[in-house]
Amino acid sequence: MLVEIWSDIGCPWCFIGKRRFEAALSRFDHASEVEVCWRSYQLDPSLPERFEGSEVEYLSKVKGMDPAQVSGMLEHVTAQAAGVGLNYRFDDLVVANTFTAHRLIHLARDLKGAETAAAVKEALLAAHFEQGQDISSHDVLAGIGAGAGLEPDAVREVLAGTGYTDSVDSDIAEARALGVSGVPFFVLDRRYGISGAQPEEVFTQALTQAWQEGQRPLQPVVPEGGACAVDGSGC
């Protein structure tokens, strides 16, 4: 069974959703027969390579909300992250465009396969939300690639050019074709779509249903929630 997950490295709910899905998958009887493929998505393609300001300042600007309200929202997300073992540090977070980081994930998949791509995805999320690293920096990305077994100089060479730009663009276009308007978004065997960082039991139910039932058009199994939307809502 194929599970495709559209997410953005700059989306705090995507890391939480990753943990909740992984918890469900670890208890799924057929987990060894499930292939997970990480797909690219960008919540804000217009973001400069690096935003000179805090996450609160950035989200306040994007959403037109009072900074105090944004701070409260981030506190809620931080608490949710802590519930799945993540230590979000929004005060240290570097607001950066994620496009080049997505290219690194595609490079890792092409060179080393899905497991290496997943390791890079994990490392990117941790670097962004827990370690205060600039994920637009080619040096940071080369280091993350090296940690997953990629040659740093080869990573720098690819990222200095336009390699895998088409792959990222294709993922984003496919998400739009599927009607994805926020992330994380999970597609199970092209049978079920799950929007948001849903509770573990929702993923468990969906995995079981997708495994048991035959091919059918994509249909949502839960209402949207716990997701970052393109319009800035939910983050």
Side-chain angles (χ1 to χ4, degrees):
M1 181 166 68
L2 174 64
V3 177
E4 298 162 279
I5 308 173
W6 272 266
S7 74
D8 192 3
I9 300 150
C11 162
W13 285 107
C14 289
F15 207 177
I16 296 169
K18 183 177 187 292
R19 283 290 184 271
R20 291 175 178 173
F21 171 77
E22 289 169 343
L25 184 61
S26 70
R27 296 172 175 81
F28 184 54
D29 290 341
H30 306 283
S32 63
E33 299 174 75
V34 175
E35 176 187 353
V36 177
C37 182
W38 290 97
R39 300 289 192 187
S40 301
Y41 195 86
Q42 276 203 296
L43 291 165
D44 185 3
S46 68
L47 181 67
E49 183 170 306
R50 178 169 177 174
F51 177 82
E52 296 301 329
S54 68
E55 180 80 340
V56 170
E57 291 169 334
Y58 165 67
L59 290 176
S60 298
K61 178 180 178 182
V62 168
K63 304 175 79 162
M65 295 169 55
D66 181 80
Q69 187 177 359
V70 174
S71 294
M73 185 172 59
L74 294 182
E75 288 177 6
H76 170 70
V77 175
T78 299
Q80 293 294 309
V84 291
L86 301 175
N87 180 28
Y88 281 7
R89 295 164 51 192
F90 283 110
D91 288 344
D92 298 329
L93 188 146
V94 177
V95 183
N97 191 293
T98 60
F99 193 90
T100 303
H102 282 296
R103 290 169 56 210
L104 175 61
I105 297 172
H106 282 278
L107 170 64
R109 181 182 296 113
D110 191 25
L111 295 181
K112 297 279 190 175
E115 289 188 7
T116 300
V120 168
K121 177 73 174 187
E122 171 75 18
L124 285 168
L125 288 164
H128 186 60
F129 287 108
E130 298 183 305
Q131 300 164 10
Q133 297 191 55
D134 179 1
I135 58 168
S136 70
S137 163
H138 288 197
D139 287 339
V140 169
L141 295 176
I144 288 174
L150 304 179
E151 172 56 48
D153 289 340
V155 170
R156 289 189 180 91
E157 182 178 356
V158 170
L159 298 185
T162 60
Y164 300 97
T165 294
D166 289 346
S167 299
V168 177
D169 287 339
S170 178
D171 276 355
I172 294 171
E174 189 168 8
R176 290 172 181 157
L178 289 171
V180 177
S181 59
V183 287
F185 195 87
F186 303 76
V187 177
L188 284 66
D189 241 5
R190 295 296 169 113
R191 298 173 187 174
Y192 292 99
I194 303 176
S195 177
Q198 299 295 336
E200 179 184 338
E201 56 267 24
V202 172
F203 290 117
T204 298
Q205 178 186 4
L207 285 166
T208 301
Q209 288 180 323
W211 183 265
Q212 293 175 344
E213 297 184 12
Q215 185 69 37
R216 62 177 61 186
L218 178 66
Q219 55 182 297
V221 296
V222 293
E224 293 187 2
C228 293
V230 173
D231 65 3
S233 61
C235 290

